[in-house]
Amino acid sequence: MIGFVVRRLLAALPTLLAVLTLVFLIVRVIPGDPALVILGDQATPEAAAALRGRLGLDKPMVTQYVDFLLAGITGDFGRSMVTGRPIIEEVSAVLPHTLDLTGASMVIGIVVGIPAGIAAALYRNRFIDVAARLLSLLGLSFPVFVSGIFLLLAFSLHWRLFPVIGNANLADPVDRLHKLVLPAATLGLVMAAYITRVTRSAMLQSLSEDYIRTARAKGVPWRRVVWVHGLRNASIPVVTVVGLYVGILIGNSVLTEIVFNRPGLGKIIVGALNQRDYTMLQGLMVIYCFLIVVVNLVTDLLYGVLDPRVKA
């Protein structure tokens, strides 16, 4: 198991290097002069040149790339070109909100999706199966910003059960949870739709295998056959879709934070794009990509736990 973990960690290093390189190139493709964006169109050429020198934008591209790699490795993303504050401080202030949203959405997706998929497989072509497939299709058909607006109209404006603005007080667990319900439900129900369909397909295949019939012939209780033998062998594709969708969750959190007016990395990204804040964009994109790489690494490790043959 230790060797398997080491191999996966080593395999993740080239991915992280490629991510850093791609982020560096993408940010510099964005049109516009950061110095003029910060100082305004009325800035003198001397002031713009001085600001470019202070920000390091007058250095050769290779030098900027090496400095960027060294900063990314050490975790020092520099300061925002607009506010002048360290990027790590601005990210740390809103990161808990994004992690709350992503974690709660993932829990909703798993708790709703896996039982629904199992029930649909057990009652194939019956009412439960048809209802589960129909609801999952509806969940996949609506973009998160559309379903988020519907939830706001119903539960915030009509029934007034939840607030419209999701800026929660992190020190108050009740307020934090209360303002998390609608955004997490918006993302979690879409994730549940994916998981339901994948779980149903995997369970149908697993329950048709010979070892399931053998377990039933030996008198193993049906509940144990389903939840231990069937689900364990159907869990690989479920873990795969969960790992992949966590990356989608992180991306969709940008739209969700805007719809529900929540603080988070998404709103900072939009602001940095509008202001051409190179350093902020670089730092945020690296953090997003790093989170996705970590999720993929954890998914690979779970493969080895669920199926020992993967570690070979």
Side-chain angles (χ1 to χ4, degrees):
M1 186 64 185
I2 296 178
F4 174 72
V5 173
V6 171
R7 289 197 301 271
R8 292 305 186 198
L9 289 174
L10 292 177
L13 294 179
T15 304
L16 288 174
L17 179 61
V19 165
L20 290 172
T21 303
L22 188 61
V23 167
F24 177 84
L25 295 176
I26 289 177
V27 169
R28 275 146 182 83
V29 170
I30 299 174
D33 188 343
L36 294 180
V37 172
I38 296 172
L39 297 176
D41 295 334
Q42 304 302 321
T44 63
E46 293 77 12
L51 182 58
R52 292 190 198 99
R54 184 167 60 85
L55 298 176
L57 298 177
D58 59 341
K59 297 180 180 178
M61 194 66 68
V62 175
T63 304
Q64 293 185 44
Y65 176 67
V66 173
D67 293 340
F68 173 66
L69 286 182
L70 294 176
I73 293 173
T74 59
D76 180 14
F77 300 109
R79 294 178 176 270
S80 168
M81 291 182 176
V82 178
T83 64
R85 294 179 56 194
I87 293 175
I88 195 65
E89 288 186 7
E90 298 204 13
V91 170
S92 300
V94 299
L95 185 60
H97 295 280
T98 299
L99 294 180
D100 281 351
L101 178 59
T102 305
S105 303
M106 185 169 60
V107 170
I108 292 175
I110 293 173
V111 170
V112 174
I114 291 180
I118 294 174
L122 294 178
Y123 298 95
R124 184 180 184 181
N125 295 328
R126 298 185 185 180
F127 174 76
I128 294 178
D129 183 25
V130 174
R133 284 187 289 170
L134 179 60
L135 292 175
S136 65
L137 180 61
L138 289 175
L140 295 174
S141 301
F142 287 97
V144 292
F145 62 89
V146 174
S147 57
I149 292 174
F150 284 159
L151 290 177
L152 276 176
L153 291 174
F155 293 97
S156 295
L157 298 180
H158 182 67
W159 288 312
R160 301 185 183 277
L161 297 176
F162 299 100
V164 176
I165 299 176
N167 189 2
N169 181 9
L170 295 177
D172 186 351
V174 176
D175 182 68
R176 192 172 181 176
L177 181 62
H178 187 226
K179 293 181 178 177
L180 181 64
V181 172
L182 289 185
T186 301
L187 292 179
L189 293 178
V190 179
M191 183 178 186
Y194 279 98
I195 295 177
T196 297
R197 300 179 74 86
V198 173
T199 303
R200 177 186 180 274
S201 177
M203 283 296 295
L204 286 174
Q205 181 177 355
S206 179
L207 294 175
S208 64
E209 298 291 341
D210 291 337
Y211 64 86
I212 295 294
R213 287 190 287 269
T214 302
R216 296 198 66 184
K218 290 182 177 181
V220 178
W222 177 237
R223 181 176 298 179
R224 180 175 176 82
V225 170
V226 172
W227 290 96
V228 177
H229 299 283
L231 183 59
R232 180 178 178 86
N233 288 278
S235 58
I236 292 294
V238 177
V239 170
T240 300
V241 75
V242 170
L244 291 174
Y245 200 79
V246 168
I248 300 176
L249 278 179
I250 295 174
N252 284 342
S253 66
V254 176
L255 292 174
T256 307
E257 287 168 357
I258 294 174
V259 170
F260 290 93
N261 197 20
R262 283 178 58 87
L265 297 182
K267 295 187 71 175
I268 295 183
I269 285 182
V270 173
L273 281 170
N274 292 332
Q275 296 170 325
R276 302 296 189 272
D277 193 342
Y278 280 2
T279 54
M280 179 63 74
L281 280 174
Q282 287 179 164
L284 290 172
M285 292 174 70
V286 169
I287 291 172
Y288 264 107
C289 295
F290 176 77
L291 291 175
I292 293 175
V293 169
V294 170
V295 169
N296 290 333
L297 178 61
V298 173
T299 303
D300 287 342
L301 297 180
L302 286 177
Y303 288 160
V305 173
L306 295 172
D307 189 352
R309 293 174 296 180
V310 177
K311 295 183 289 187

